[in-house]
Amino acid sequence: MLDSKTHKAGIIGWPVGHSISPVMHAYWLKEHSLSGAYDALPVKPGGLPKMLELLAEQQYAGVNVTIPHKQSILPFLDEVDPSAAAVGAVNTLVRKNKKWLGMNTDIYGFSKSLTEAVDVKKIQRVMVLGAGGAAGAVVKSLQELGFTHITISNRTREKAEELASHAGAKVVDWENKDTALERINLLVNTTSRGMKGEGGLDINLNMLPSQAVVADIVYNPLVTPLLQQAQEKGHLTVDGLGMLMHQGAAAFAAWFGITPKVDDKLRAFLQETL
Ligand code: NAP
């Protein structure tokens, strides 16, 4: 039976058409027989204050935030939770007591996806490729998991240095990343390379130890050229769909007080929509 309250959430970004979050949250709303909707809400740069007003008026429980607003929305929020503040980016807003609270569920999403797939106690040295918004959340999650040997490599070195300085991580030149793989146990791609419509990462995994795990946070396609290369070399791989599902589940719980299941049925359903 549907309950009487309307459960409203959505995603704000520019563009937002590519996001599979609306399909995922609609699945959970239906699974829990909750009336309401999760809307794709295109918001151009500059349109944030007006949109936040509108969302408050229309009694949204909250929204996800995606490119290009994850950082630029911070000045418009009443509170930001400590992990999101440390990363300097939010991906989820919750409306509570007439206030906007910012969170970053990508941090939890990556941790949960990684720890479900891998025994993290066996990993000492990690290399993160990329230093964009998502890299910040991934590095924070690695820190929260207790990793102390983190190396960051990014096409634009200054951005890697900036991220590394907050995380106590090392930086390797983009040109030298292949040779720096020599003692790495976990390699994580957080760049947008490998996404549908983009070329794959230019990387050679020959130096990566055979027991190393390779993770990619890109989820469309599910098996990126990096993961394909890693699988051909026999590495254990972790795709980006796990992170997507877990960050979404944490947001759903923050809005509606119900933690939805992340299971094989949901994974199969989402894979069909990709
Ligand atoms: P972003 O802030 O725009 O950062 C993009 C990153 O990719 C930067 O490090 C950039 O390097 C690098 N890059 C772009 N083109 C490149 C190229 N040709 N060669 C080498 N590096 C290149 O984007 P983001 O928000 O971090 O997102 C990155 C990816 O993560 C996207 O594909 C997104 O869909 C995915 N993501 C997945 C999840 C999930 O739940 N699975 C969550 C968040 C994001 P420069 O600094 O040199 O430009």
Side-chain angles (χ1 to χ4, degrees):
M1 199 173 49
L2 295 181
D3 67 348
S4 54
K5 188 176 158 209
T6 301
H7 299 78
K8 286 167 78 172
I11 179 163
I12 59 175
W14 187 264
V16 282
H18 65 285
S19 172
I20 65 166
S21 291
V23 174
M24 181 167 70
H25 287 278
Y27 174 100
W28 283 327
L29 285 168
K30 189 168 169 221
E31 187 174 61
H32 292 280
S33 303
L34 300 175
S35 62
Y38 180 102
D39 304 313
L41 302 160
V43 181
K44 284 187 185 169
L48 286 174
K50 194 145 198 313
M51 178 51 81
L52 289 179
E53 235 178 82
L54 201 76
L55 293 169
E57 259 169 47
Q58 298 190 357
Q59 298 186 357
Y60 275 72
V63 283
N64 284 129
V65 183
T66 188
I67 289 173
H69 304 309
K70 284 185 175 184
Q71 284 130 354
S72 55
I73 201 160
L74 290 173
F76 304 108
L77 305 182
D78 301 295
E79 282 171 44
V80 177
D81 87 9
S83 293
V87 171
V90 300
N91 79 329
T92 302
L93 304 189
V94 180
R95 185 77 180 158
K96 231 175 220 161
N97 304 327
K98 302 197 170 170
K99 287 186 171 172
W100 284 115
L101 166 69
M103 304 165 60
N104 194 322
T105 65
D106 281 341
I107 301 168
Y108 166 80
F110 181 75
S111 297
K112 186 78 180 158
S113 169
L114 185 69
T115 51
E116 270 183 1
V118 175
D119 180 359
V120 290
K121 290 197 288 296
K122 292 189 176 155
I123 297 171
Q124 287 88 39
R125 283 172 293 277
V126 188
M127 187 187 291
V128 175
L129 303 174
V138 165
V139 168
K140 179 74 181 156
S141 116
L142 292 167
Q143 286 181 284
E144 289 182 359
L145 286 170
F147 291 107
T148 48
H149 292 84
I150 303 174
T151 303
I152 302 170
S153 189
N154 189 51
R155 179 181 59 175
T156 310
R157 186 182 164 106
E158 300 79 65
K159 281 165 71 181
E161 276 169 359
E162 166 79 20
L163 180 56
S165 70
H166 298 300
K170 283 197 316 194
V171 174
V172 162
D173 276 336
W174 190 244
E175 294 68 32
N176 298 334
K177 63 185 180 307
D178 295 358
T179 44
L181 292 172
E182 198 177 9
R183 296 177 66 222
I184 293 298
N185 311 116
L186 170 66
L187 174 67
V188 189
N189 175 47
T190 73
T191 77
S192 47
R193 296 305 278 173
M195 254 170 84
K196 202 173 180 175
E198 291 217 21
L201 261 180
D202 182 16
I203 190 164
N204 183 329
L205 300 181
N206 282 347
M207 299 291 274
L208 190 67
S210 59
Q211 298 305 314
V213 176
V214 180
D216 203 325
I217 68 161
V218 171
Y219 60 84
N220 191 9
L222 206 55
V223 182
T224 59
L226 172 68
L227 294 190
Q228 172 93 40
Q229 194 188 149
Q231 285 170 5
E232 281 163 11
K233 279 195 69 228
H235 294 283
L236 176 67
T237 59
V238 183
D239 65 48
L241 198 52
M243 176 178 176
L244 180 90
M245 294 188 292
H246 286 296
Q247 65 74 30
F252 193 94
W255 299 325
F256 305 133
I258 295 171
T259 304
K261 264 200 307 243
V262 170
D263 56 13
D264 290 345
K265 204 172 133 213
L266 173 65
R267 174 174 272 274
F269 171 75
L270 292 176
Q271 268 179 248
E272 268 177 38
T273 73
L274 289 176

